[in-house]
Amino acid sequence: MLYFIFLTRRCNLVCTYCGQSNTPTDSMVQEITYSMQDLLKFLKLDPDPIIAFYGGEPLLNIEKLLQIMNRLPHAKFLIQTNGLHLNKVPWNFLNQVNSILVSIDGTAATTDYYRGRSIYRKIITNVNEISKRGFSGDLIARMTISTHTDIFKDVTHLLLLENPHFDHIHWQLDMIWSDKTQYGDLNNWIRNYNKGITQLVDLWMEKIRNEQFVFGIVPFIGITSSLLKKTKSSLRCGAGLDAFAIQTDGSIYACPVCPEFKDFKVGSIYTSKPSEIENSMSIKPPCLECEEYLICGGRCLFTNHHNFWGEDFHLVCSTVKHLINELKRIEPEIRQMIKEKILLEKQFNYPEFNNSCEIIP
Ligand code: SF4
Ligand code: SF4
């Protein structure tokens, strides 16, 4: 299973959309209070753990990261980081990490608007350094999409970067848990977002058609893979199913974003076993009655249980449905190319394991 481990709740940035500022609204302690022994006792009960180092900014506690990596040599590792301290992680450890998800929101203007002045440049410098050193894992640009994002422009900017080159681009919409009035005319914002998605799908297909190259746009690959294989998907992030967050005090939550919501607490490293918390939460209506449920999977467990936007929940779903429909539009051509052996189905096999990309933005 996948475990998000909060190495600290502290962060060295104050991003506009972040729910985890330096003055958290919940009562969770800032630093880890459990012992390494207690953590390992719990994690060793899972034969195939995936560890996602998370925070706050996890690389403000590199020491704990190294201890965990040293003691769990059989685990897969991910880091979700803002990239500012990437150059401080010893290379022999960094290069053992399977995936690094770097928070970056698109162009310099977009990234700096949300994350602070000159942050884009600092991220790019650090990521470039590990790229040049030959990082062999999966380098993922993880974007937050909010009010000032131009989805086509910001995604293509990251997609076409050469130094550094990101293997994959993934994004998540800053919606439902955020203040919807910040979007102004929400209908209009969504119309523009959907237009940008159509443009991106066209660009993606053009590259496949002309060069048989599949750009690493995670939502497109993940959904297309399900369409091609006709698989039914459960909640793709796995929250409460096979993905959990271990908070600084050792309590276990179904998802990393909500320590103040006690209904998401499913156990603790002191008293629970992985097998006892597996499949402990599930998606509820309205998703269960939705015509796209088996592709979407319910998008987000947290917003499915805590819908702060009331009826406007359906506006967010209209982005999901638009995305799925656009990919259904090009699916026959992709299927035909695979049939004619111009393209391989395995080019859409991603991710190999739950690497914390939720697929549905
Ligand atoms: S599109 Fe919306 S209602 Fe439908 S399954 Fe996804 S999140 Fe739920
Ligand atoms: S998609 Fe929602 S439920 Fe899943 S991990 Fe992200 S915030 Fe949590």
Side-chain angles (χ1 to χ4, degrees):
M1 299 206 289
L2 168 64
Y3 305 93
F4 292 90
I5 298 190
F6 281 78
L7 292 181
T8 174
R9 301 290 307 280
R10 282 177 293 129
C11 189
N12 46 357
L13 287 180
V14 188
C15 303
T16 53
Y17 43 62
C18 186
Q20 300 176 41
S21 68
N22 279 328
T23 49
T25 49
D26 59 84
S27 55
M28 197 55 71
V29 284
Q30 294 281 83
E31 306 300 337
I32 288 176
T33 56
Y34 53 78
S35 69
M36 185 56 63
Q37 208 182 3
D38 285 326
L39 178 70
L40 293 173
K41 199 171 145 206
F42 171 79
L43 288 176
K44 283 190 170 167
L45 295 172
D46 186 329
D48 195 15
I50 305 163
I51 306 294
F53 295 114
Y54 197 83
E57 167 48 44
L59 299 186
L60 293 179
N61 191 358
I62 291 176
E63 198 187 327
K64 192 65 83 184
L65 174 144
L66 302 185
Q67 284 173 14
I68 294 171
M69 286 187 74
N70 258 330
R71 305 286 296 275
L72 285 173
H74 65 295
K76 295 185 182 74
F77 295 105
L78 331 166
I79 306 178
Q80 280 207 21
T81 175
N82 62 29
L84 300 187
H85 283 199
L86 262 180
N87 52 345
K88 297 187 178 165
V89 185
W91 178 245
N92 53 330
F93 283 86
L94 199 61
N95 212 21
Q96 284 177 51
V97 172
N98 299 73
S99 309
I100 301 180
L101 296 100
V102 182
S103 303
I104 184 167
D105 300 322
T107 63
T110 305
T111 301
D112 288 356
Y113 176 82
Y114 297 131
R115 309 182 71 77
R117 219 169 88 195
S118 305
I119 297 299
Y120 174 89
R121 186 44 46 206
K122 288 178 187 159
I123 300 169
I124 291 293
T125 305
N126 279 347
V127 177
N128 221 357
E129 193 179 314
I130 65 166
S131 236
K132 276 192 189 143
R133 291 183 76 172
F135 175 68
S136 55
D138 188 12
L139 203 46
I140 305 169
R142 188 181 167 88
M143 308 165 70
T144 299
I145 306 301
S146 194
T147 53
H148 281 62
T149 306
D150 177 329
I151 188 75
F152 182 74
K153 192 169 151 194
D154 287 309
V155 171
T156 50
H157 171 80
L158 294 173
L159 204 56
L160 302 176
L161 269 185
E162 287 181 2
N163 299 306
H165 165 70
F166 286 103
D167 301 302
H168 291 96
I169 317 284
H170 183 52
W171 65 89
Q172 188 61 278
L173 294 172
D174 173 30
M175 288 193 168
I176 306 283
W177 49 64
S178 57
D179 171 15
K180 76 179 165 194
T181 61
Q182 67 181 333
Y183 285 89
D185 184 343
L186 182 61
N187 278 293
N188 193 43
W189 191 95
I190 286 181
R191 247 191 315 277
N192 286 331
Y193 171 81
N194 284 344
K195 253 189 228 162
I197 291 293
T198 298
Q199 278 179 286
L200 263 183
V201 169
D202 286 341
L203 175 82
W204 194 63
M205 189 61 225
E206 202 181 302
K207 191 82 175 171
I208 293 174
R209 188 183 298 125
N210 297 338
E211 299 173 37
Q212 296 77 56
F213 183 82
V214 180
F215 272 135
I217 302 179
V218 176
F220 292 7
I221 297 175
I223 294 172
T224 301
S225 172
S226 300
L227 293 173
L228 291 171
K229 293 182 183 135
K230 299 187 194 295
T231 45
K232 296 174 183 169
S233 189
S234 54
L235 179 67
R236 291 175 182 259
C237 69
L241 304 175
D242 60 0
F244 297 91
I246 299 178
Q247 294 286 349
T248 44
D249 65 354
S251 54
I252 303 174
Y253 281 68
C255 147
V257 306
C258 51
E260 65 274 44
F261 289 84
K262 298 299 173 211
D263 57 325
F264 267 55
K265 184 175 172 184
V266 296
S268 126
I269 59 167
Y270 301 108
T271 54
S272 311
K273 292 181 181 154
S275 57
E276 291 165 356
I277 57 172
E278 193 173 3
N279 296 320
S280 50
M281 289 191 76
S282 54
I283 287 285
K284 304 191 295 189
C287 296
L288 300 179
E289 292 97 42
C290 172
E291 71 272 22
E292 297 298 359
Y293 176 56
L294 295 176
I295 300 266
C296 171
R299 185 174 172 267
C300 167
L301 184 74
F302 179 65
T303 57
N304 172 263
H305 282 241
H306 295 278
N307 171 20
F308 303 128
W309 281 18
E311 276 304 301
D312 286 341
F313 181 88
H314 296 291
L315 284 178
V316 182
C317 295
S318 71
T319 69
V320 178
K321 290 174 184 173
H322 178 77
L323 170 63
I324 293 172
N325 282 334
E326 285 301 90
L327 293 167
K328 281 182 179 168
R329 171 170 66 84
I330 60 166
E331 183 216 337
E333 189 176 348
I334 293 179
R335 197 177 280 285
Q336 185 61 27
M337 287 178 79
I338 292 171
K339 200 171 156 199
E340 289 174 14
K341 301 195 181 346
I342 302 167
L343 205 60
L344 300 172
E345 190 173 306
K346 71 175 186 202
Q347 288 176 268
F348 301 89
N349 287 353
Y350 183 86
E352 277 173 37
F353 58 93
N354 187 346
N355 65 0
S356 80
C357 289
E358 308 90 340
I359 309 292
I360 303 292

